[in-house]
Amino acid sequence: MVAANSFKNSRAAFNEWKVQVNASVSDFQMNAAEFPSRLMSDGRITIGAASWKGSEREMIINNYVEGIQTGVRDKASPSGLHFRDSKRKVDYVLVYHYRKRLARHGRAEPQQQQDDGQRALQEWPGLPGLEVVELSPLDTLEEERQLQREEYECKLLEAGLEIEKDPENKSQGVSFVRIHAPWQVLSREAELLKIKMPTKKMYEITEERGILKTLNKIWCKLTGPLQPQVPQQENTKMKTLSYPFSREKIYLYNIKDKDTFFDNATRSRIVREILKRTSTKARNSMGIGTLIANNVYDAAYPLHDGEYEGQNDDTNERKLLYQEWARYGVFYKFQPIDLIRKYFGEKIGLYFAWLGLYTEFLIPSSVVGTIVFLYGCITMESDIPSKEMCDQRNAFTMCPLCDKFCDYWNLSSACATARASHLFDNPATVFFSIFMALWATMFLEQWKRLQMRLSYFWDLTGLEEEEKLVKEHPRPEYETKLLQKKLKNKNITTESSDEKLTWSDRMPGYAANFGLILFMIMLAFSAVFGIIVYRITTAAALSFSTNETTRSNVRVTVTATAVIINLVVVLILDEIYGAVAKWLTEIEIPKTEKTFEERLILKAFLLKFVNSYASIFYVAFFKGRFVGRPGHYVYVFEGYRMEECAPGGCLMELCIQLSIIMLGKQLIQNNLFEIGIPKLKKLFRKLKDEKTEVKEMDTNQSKHPQQWDLDYILEPFTGLTPEYMEMIIQFGFVTLFVASFPLAPVFALLNNIIEVRLDAKKFVTELRRPDTVREKDIGIWYNILSGIGKLSVIINAFVIAVTSDFIPRLMYQYAYSQNGTMHGFINHTLSYFNVSQLKAGTQPENSLFAQEVAFCRFKDYREPPWSPHQYEFSKQYWAVLSARLAFVILFQNLVMFLSVLVDWMIADIPKDISEQIKKEKTALVDFFLKEEHEKLKLIESFIAHDKRKRRSGTKSRRTRAASFSQCHRSPKGSFTSFSSQHTVV
């Protein structure tokens, strides 16, 4: 009985109890090798395949706490952000599901055989309270996970972290491991990670002078109501000098309170680094990432600073962000970028700074785009080609749009299409294309300047050198693959630190990537081809209708339905491509998280770019180009003619295609999916937990849920790739085909005003707090933006030259018009065809035209039937084609030259920032020299004072020794001053 009672306390008492049992029971005289026992999490002993249940173990791991009574331990922290002592902060939380075995009452058979071939176990007489329970595979797996957790948590304790966890009172449920990093750990890791911390030195920031200073003051007064009400630095003219933390130079730093010197984001970042590098022997787990992948832990996350809404007066950074940033009611305010960076880290801060600048730059482009659109509306009535097309006195009898069932038709019936095309196909669109190309260059240049400014104020300068000194941890999947390779080669005893996965190890992954990416691109093209077939067949089917209204609206009906179907296909393939890109990147086995993220971004962007723009490219450059001519049409499936552009050109259809896909993606994918999917996931997880968890009363559960409980319900943060991706695709819509849709920046601006607050609300209220990551720039996204900007110049040049009628109109007005006007342009672009040369069976049946038609017209530059070279391309065709190519070359070179000129004129680093960086380096050197000089003067004064005392003989050796004890020498021989005595680690 004494042994059973001692068993309740700790694992160490179990060994004493086992010795007593072996001494008292003569039937079981076996040594330790013949008696493989193991203590389980619920207090049982496992022998082979059976386990004996002793007393239930109740233990709270709460190290470094002395003299705390049991009653005090059961009380939760009032704030939900501290340990039960209400003093130590919870810097990180680990979560896992536990499941205890339910014992089956009954005694074991006398001759139960073990699975491992050991000898049979006899029934144990005279041991009350012990029972034999068979281990199921699920129980065995749970016990292995429990052992891994115990070993991992012990390693964390050895690393200096402090842990608190609740007792497992229920048969199954969720348990939280709360982690606190004391000062010793924080200071050690901050030195290893080269984290810049504020020193005692402050220096003055050079202000702008002259007219810039006046303009800045005016701007600050005008934008005063737009500024968020968040705490600002008291003296904005002064900046604190920062320096990588060093325990040897601790006297340099402004340490007023060790508990608040490192903010919550820095503390969680330090703990995360320890969790990532701490490994266990069980299953060769390489850090918290591997343990989560193996379901040993379910989640690991830092805590939010508290609740973001409520009646309490406690103001925290999360509540402040919600009130001044994450509500739709403050959409007109600027973003508190510094507070975002402080709470979420530099990487997320840079994303919202980039999104804010992009949204601001959309304002001038929206104004100019609206002006271009209004110009088209104003000049619509005075457009001569539109008037000629709508004039019913011009008897332009057009060739049938389909074989047999389509009749001849008058060009004046397409009057509405021609007038609408002028809204987007006018000389102002050329100016707008040049403007948007320069706009993209200006945006990228301004972002580089803002990025440099933020790097200076956020102490990110010199981050590359610091990253070289800090080793990046390999991904768990990489180390697992490397371990499998070592086991396969049987080189475990001769491990080398330089061993890594070679190109041949990744060859299967590369081959799968190439094949599957090619297949996915062909799938996107197949979807476009399917839409083309749908349009052709549907147009032919509607042409057979007996309803006159249906036949007259064939083009509108087919275009609208085809674009909607295309939008649905694009949305579905987008989700598929995202999952495929992630899987392809995983089978490549990148070594580090940074490499993994870059490869994932490239694959996802390539697939989604093709998916989003394939149909738009088809309408812009291929539709209507391979139709053929009357009497010699190009057919699909031997019965359907290739589709033609509308009489006003393909630019109007391109505008419809672009606008519906852009607006549909923004409304459905970027907004509805972002709001709805996280809520559905949260509801599904809640229902799953309620279904699987046994309803038991937990006596230690507080009435009010703690912060770690509230954060666990939230969605885990999965990275910024989806946020960037949707904005990059939108940037493509705004720049690539802007010549066909000048209102694209307007709709992008309206979307982004909502998007900023939507993303802000998601980060503040719906996601667990992300780990803070220090980044100096937006990485590979800048290269993608720059590539899209350069590609937009080429695409817009071809859209204006090939898709629109801008070049044919110019050629007609200055080369073929008799009076230098646009009169006669429509007749000039239409060729003649002799209807008697139509193939048999393709002539219209039951033609409704009053007179018999001898010649019909079609849009092309071809020789007339009475020409010796009938239906061949005319001289006008080759002249217009030459003008188109010349315009592409001229436009591209002009815009590229202007872009390079803008790039050269705008410096990447603002002049005041470059001066401040030099000034900061000088101030840092002066500060060090001053500190060292003061230390040297202090030492010399002590030595001089000691010499005077020794000469006078008034003091003893003890006094002299005491005087030297006030000055402490560091291991490298430097001395610390009196002012640093209170900050010694």
Side-chain angles (χ1 to χ4, degrees):
M1 239 9 195
V2 175
N5 291 332
S6 64
F7 180 70
K8 292 182 180 180
N9 298 327
S10 64
R11 187 187 295 268
F14 165 72
N15 296 325
E16 300 176 4
W17 174 78
K18 186 174 69 173
V19 172
Q20 295 179 10
V21 170
N22 288 334
S24 59
V25 183
S26 58
D27 293 338
F28 298 94
Q29 296 180 354
M30 54 185 72
N31 55 29
E34 296 169 335
F35 186 55
S37 61
R38 185 171 59 180
L39 178 66
M40 293 304 170
S41 61
D42 55 355
R44 304 179 189 177
I45 313 156
T46 300
I47 305 178
S51 66
W52 277 259
K53 182 177 179 180
S55 302
E56 292 293 335
R57 181 180 64 174
E58 297 179 0
M59 182 183 301
I60 299 176
I61 299 179
N62 195 9
N63 59 319
Y64 302 107
V65 179
E66 300 294 341
I68 295 181
Q69 302 297 327
T70 307
V72 178
R73 288 187 179 185
D74 292 339
K75 295 179 181 178
S77 170
S79 65
L81 301 173
H82 294 79
F83 278 10
R84 296 185 185 276
D85 58 7
S86 299
K87 296 180 180 178
R88 292 172 293 169
K89 289 183 179 179
V90 177
D91 297 319
Y92 222 86
V93 174
L94 305 180
V95 188
Y96 65 89
H97 275 83
Y98 67 88
R99 174 183 175 275
K100 297 183 179 181
R101 294 196 308 274
L102 299 176
R104 293 181 299 171
H105 295 283
R107 304 182 71 180
E109 294 296 330
Q111 298 293 331
Q112 184 176 1
Q113 189 71 25
Q114 292 188 5
D115 295 333
D116 56 0
Q118 295 182 357
R119 62 182 183 178
L121 297 176
Q122 302 291 330
E123 181 183 3
W124 282 30
L127 291 178
L130 294 183
E131 52 190 349
V132 179
V133 178
E134 292 290 341
L135 283 178
S136 67
L138 185 61
D139 294 329
T140 305
L141 181 61
E142 178 60 30
E143 295 297 348
E144 289 181 2
R145 291 174 179 170
Q146 175 66 18
L147 286 176
Q148 290 186 65
R149 286 194 290 266
E150 290 179 358
E151 183 184 357
Y152 186 70
E153 290 162 14
C154 288
K155 291 288 186 67
L156 296 181
L157 295 177
E158 293 175 4
L161 299 177
E162 300 178 9
I163 294 177
E164 178 185 77
K165 59 190 296 188
D166 295 326
E168 300 173 0
N169 291 328
K170 298 189 291 185
S171 60
Q172 60 178 338
V174 179
S175 185
F176 298 90
V177 180
R178 299 176 288 279
I179 300 174
H180 168 77
W183 170 258
Q184 292 82 358
V185 175
L186 293 173
S187 59
R188 180 192 70 207
E189 296 298 323
E191 184 174 358
L192 292 175
L193 297 174
K194 306 294 181 184
I195 298 177
K196 284 187 175 181
M197 301 302 296
T199 63
K200 300 175 184 177
K201 175 69 175 177
M202 296 186 71
Y203 65 97
E204 186 177 0
I205 298 176
T206 304
E207 291 186 343
E208 296 175 340
R209 299 176 182 177
I211 189 172
L212 291 176
K213 183 178 181 180
T214 306
L215 293 175
N216 189 34
K217 286 184 178 180
I218 296 174
W219 174 253
C220 291
K221 288 181 180 180
L222 292 176
T223 59
L226 305 180
Q227 297 294 337
Q229 301 300 317
V230 297
Q232 301 289 341
Q233 186 179 346
E234 295 179 359
N235 190 356
T236 56
K237 297 180 181 179
M238 302 295 291
K239 184 179 184 297
T240 304
L241 192 64
S242 298
Y243 186 72
F245 189 80
S246 173
R247 288 176 291 179
E248 291 185 355
K249 296 181 175 60
I250 200 168
Y251 55 87
L252 300 175
Y253 304 96
N254 188 20
I255 304 177
K256 297 179 180 178
D257 186 359
K258 292 183 179 180
D259 292 334
T260 59
F261 180 66
F262 295 102
D263 58 16
N264 293 342
T266 306
R267 297 173 70 99
S268 63
R269 177 190 168 198
I270 290 173
V271 175
R272 179 72 182 187
E273 288 295 324
I274 298 175
L275 294 176
K276 287 167 66 176
R277 71 166 182 255
T278 302
S279 60
T280 60
K281 296 180 181 178
R283 288 198 176 184
N284 298 285
S285 62
M286 282 72 70
I288 189 63
T290 311
L291 294 175
I292 292 177
N294 294 334
N295 295 320
V296 177
Y297 289 100
D298 291 339
Y301 52 88
L303 292 180
H304 280 291
D305 280 357
E307 298 184 14
Y308 61 89
E309 59 182 354
Q311 301 298 328
N312 56 344
D313 297 330
D314 296 335
T315 301
N316 54 63
E317 293 179 352
R318 187 187 187 192
K319 180 180 290 187
L320 204 58
L321 285 172
Y322 177 74
Q323 293 174 349
E324 296 295 326
W325 179 52
R327 294 187 300 114
Y328 295 110
V330 293
F331 72 93
Y332 60 91
K333 289 188 176 183
F334 294 125
Q335 299 185 90
I337 294 298
D338 290 329
L339 185 59
I340 297 170
R341 169 253 178 176
K342 182 181 177 184
Y343 192 80
F344 292 109
E346 285 77 8
K347 188 173 185 178
I348 295 177
L350 284 173
Y351 164 71
F352 282 104
W354 174 84
L355 180 58
L357 182 68
Y358 172 47
T359 304
E360 290 175 10
F361 257 72
L362 284 173
I363 296 175
S365 62
S366 300
V367 173
V368 177
T370 304
I371 293 174
V372 170
F373 178 74
L374 293 176
Y375 171 82
C377 295
I378 295 171
T379 58
M380 183 188 300
E381 298 299 330
S382 60
D383 183 52
I384 297 175
S386 299
K387 285 183 177 181
E388 289 186 350
M389 188 178 292
C390 295
D391 191 355
Q392 295 185 1
R393 292 174 297 179
N394 295 327
F396 295 124
T397 304
M398 306 298 293
C399 297
L401 296 175
C402 64
D403 295 340
K404 193 175 182 179
F405 295 98
C406 294
D407 198 1
Y408 303 105
W409 56 285
N410 285 322
L411 185 61
S412 59
S413 62
C415 175
T417 305
R419 291 169 65 88
S421 297
H422 179 73
L423 295 175
F424 307 101
D425 189 1
N426 55 70
T429 57
V430 179
F431 160 76
F432 191 55
S433 299
I434 298 174
F435 171 81
M436 287 304 295
L438 297 179
W439 173 89
T441 305
M442 287 282 291
F443 166 63
L444 293 177
E445 290 301 313
Q446 187 61 30
W447 167 244
K448 285 194 290 188
R449 291 170 62 85
L450 177 60
Q451 189 173 255
M452 196 64 208
R453 190 175 295 275
L454 293 176
S455 296
Y456 166 69
F457 285 104
W458 292 355
D459 295 320
L460 297 176
T461 53
L463 187 61
E464 293 180 349
E465 290 75 11
E466 297 172 22
E467 289 178 343
K468 292 177 182 177
L469 299 175
V470 180
K471 183 180 179 181
E472 190 173 358
H473 301 290
R475 297 179 65 248
E477 293 80 1
Y478 177 87
E479 293 203 343
T480 302
K481 186 70 175 179
L482 186 61
L483 180 64
Q484 293 174 355
K485 178 183 178 182
K486 291 178 180 178
L487 292 174
K488 185 178 180 180
N489 297 335
K490 298 180 180 180
N491 290 333
I492 303 177
T493 56
T494 59
E495 291 182 357
S496 62
S497 58
D498 297 334
E499 189 171 355
K500 59 183 180 180
L501 295 181
T502 60
W503 184 83
S504 58
D505 296 324
R506 293 192 174 96
M507 188 60 191
Y510 291 151
N513 268 264
F514 178 78
L516 201 53
I517 288 176
L518 189 62
F519 171 77
M520 287 296 169
I521 292 175
M522 295 306 298
L523 181 63
F525 290 148
S526 301
V528 174
F529 181 73
I531 299 297
I532 296 171
V533 172
Y534 164 80
R535 282 200 288 226
I536 294 173
T537 54
T538 306
L542 292 177
S543 300
F544 301 157
S545 175
T546 57
N547 190 336
E548 179 63 26
T549 306
T550 303
R551 290 200 305 270
S552 61
N553 295 320
V554 167
R555 191 179 297 277
V556 177
T557 305
V558 170
T559 301
T561 55
V563 171
I564 293 174
I565 294 172
N566 187 32
L567 173 63
V568 174
V569 172
V570 166
L571 293 177
I572 294 173
L573 288 181
D574 249 3
E575 300 301 318
I576 296 174
Y577 284 169
V580 169
K582 185 176 181 181
W583 179 74
L584 289 175
T585 311
E586 287 175 348
I587 64 176
E588 276 190 14
I589 322 172
K591 184 175 182 179
T592 62
E593 288 292 343
K594 185 175 182 180
T595 308
F596 177 86
E597 187 177 16
E598 288 180 351
R599 295 185 182 182
L600 173 62
I601 290 170
L602 286 176
K603 291 181 183 63
F605 174 74
L606 174 63
L607 294 175
K608 293 191 176 186
F609 182 89
V610 172
N611 182 42
S612 300
Y613 299 115
S615 59
I616 300 175
F617 270 94
Y618 165 73
V619 174
F621 303 122
F622 298 101
K623 185 178 181 180
R625 304 288 184 270
F626 308 101
V627 178
R629 59 171 178 82
H632 196 271
Y633 285 111
V634 177
Y635 289 88
V636 178
F637 301 128
E638 299 182 357
Y640 300 99
R641 277 162 44 179
M642 287 292 292
E643 55 181 349
E644 303 178 38
C645 290
C650 279
L651 199 67
M652 187 62 194
E653 293 186 43
L654 176 61
C655 175
I656 296 173
Q657 185 90 8
L658 180 66
S659 59
I660 291 181
I661 292 180
M662 177 182 175
L663 297 178
K665 280 178 67 67
Q666 290 184 350
L667 180 64
I668 299 174
Q669 191 177 48
N670 298 359
N671 294 327
L672 294 182
F673 282 8
E674 272 195 61
I675 297 172
I677 290 180
K679 291 186 180 298
L680 289 176
K681 287 182 178 180
K682 183 178 178 181
L683 178 62
F684 178 76
R685 189 169 62 249
K686 183 179 179 181
L687 294 175
K688 183 180 179 182
D689 291 341
E690 290 178 354
K691 183 178 179 180
T692 57
E693 187 172 343
V694 180
K695 299 293 183 181
E696 299 182 45
M697 292 298 295
D698 191 348
T699 57
N700 287 299
Q701 186 70 28
S702 60
K703 294 182 181 179
H704 300 287
Q706 296 295 297
Q707 190 62 46
W708 47 84
D709 296 301
L710 297 174
D711 287 1
Y712 180 64
I713 300 174
L714 302 177
E715 276 292 302
F717 175 69
T718 56
L720 288 171
T721 301
E723 316 299 335
Y724 272 114
M725 188 65 69
E726 63 186 53
M727 289 296 104
I728 297 296
I729 296 296
Q730 183 202 84
F731 183 80
F733 283 122
V734 169
T735 56
L736 291 179
F737 297 94
V738 74
S740 64
F741 190 37
L743 293 179
V746 178
F747 292 107
L749 175 62
L750 296 176
N751 174 81
N752 286 9
I753 292 174
I754 301 173
E755 182 72 21
V756 170
R757 307 302 161 178
L758 182 64
D759 284 347
K761 187 175 182 181
K762 181 171 66 174
F763 273 86
V764 173
T765 66
E766 298 177 2
L767 294 179
R768 296 173 190 161
R769 187 171 182 174
D771 294 304
T772 57
V773 180
R774 287 175 66 85
E775 289 287 352
K776 66 182 184 302
D777 52 35
I778 60 175
I780 196 173
W781 294 112
Y782 180 84
N783 299 329
I784 294 176
L785 285 169
S786 181
I788 291 177
K790 291 179 174 59
L791 183 63
S792 67
V793 177
I794 303 172
I795 291 179
N796 280 299
F798 276 98
V799 167
I800 296 171
V802 177
T803 311
S804 75
D805 284 337
F806 177 73
I807 300 300
R809 291 186 182 195
L810 282 181
M811 286 292 296
Y812 176 78
Q813 184 175 0
Y814 295 105
Y816 299 104
S817 177
Q818 295 179 358
N819 53 9
T821 63
M822 293 300 297
H823 290 287
F825 173 73
I826 297 299
N827 185 49
H828 178 74
T829 58
L830 297 178
S831 299
Y832 287 90
F833 180 76
N834 190 345
V835 297
S836 62
Q837 297 178 354
L838 287 172
K839 291 183 179 180
T842 62
Q843 297 89 348
E845 294 182 350
N846 304 321
S847 177
L848 300 178
F849 270 65
Q851 70 249 11
E852 187 176 348
V853 178
F855 296 97
C856 65
R857 310 293 294 273
F858 64 98
K859 189 174 182 179
D860 206 346
Y861 292 101
R862 292 184 181 269
E863 296 290 342
W866 52 82
S867 172
H869 308 285
Q870 60 177 1
Y871 307 130
E872 292 184 1
F873 289 118
S874 62
K875 294 180 180 179
Q876 290 90 340
Y877 171 82
W878 298 111
V880 170
L881 180 61
S882 301
R884 291 180 193 270
L885 296 178
F887 174 82
V888 169
I889 296 172
L890 179 64
F891 182 90
Q892 179 181 341
N893 285 278
L894 175 63
V895 175
M896 287 293 185
F897 170 74
L898 293 176
S899 300
V900 172
L901 183 63
V902 170
D903 189 4
W904 175 75
M905 293 176 62
I906 302 176
D908 293 346
I909 304 177
K911 186 177 180 181
D912 60 326
I913 295 299
S914 61
E915 292 177 355
Q916 291 299 131
I917 292 175
K918 295 177 183 178
K919 185 176 180 180
E920 185 177 86
K921 292 180 180 179
T922 305
L924 186 63
V925 173
D926 294 341
F927 178 54
F928 281 168
L929 290 176
K930 183 179 178 181
E931 288 291 325
E932 294 298 326
H933 184 64
E934 288 180 356
K935 285 164 53 179
L936 183 60
K937 287 174 61 178
L938 183 64
I939 294 171
E940 289 176 350
S941 64
F942 276 127
I943 294 175
H945 179 72
D946 189 70
K947 285 182 178 180
R948 287 196 301 267
K949 292 292 184 181
R950 188 167 50 184
R951 289 173 183 173
S952 62
T954 58
K955 295 294 181 180
S956 62
R957 178 188 297 178
R958 179 180 178 183
T959 306
R960 189 165 60 251
S963 68
F964 273 95
S965 67
Q966 297 177 10
C967 185
H968 173 69
R969 181 181 293 271
S970 66
K972 292 187 177 181
S974 62
F975 290 86
T976 57
S977 63
F978 280 125
S979 61
S980 65
Q981 293 297 319
H982 67 284
T983 58
V984 176
V985 179

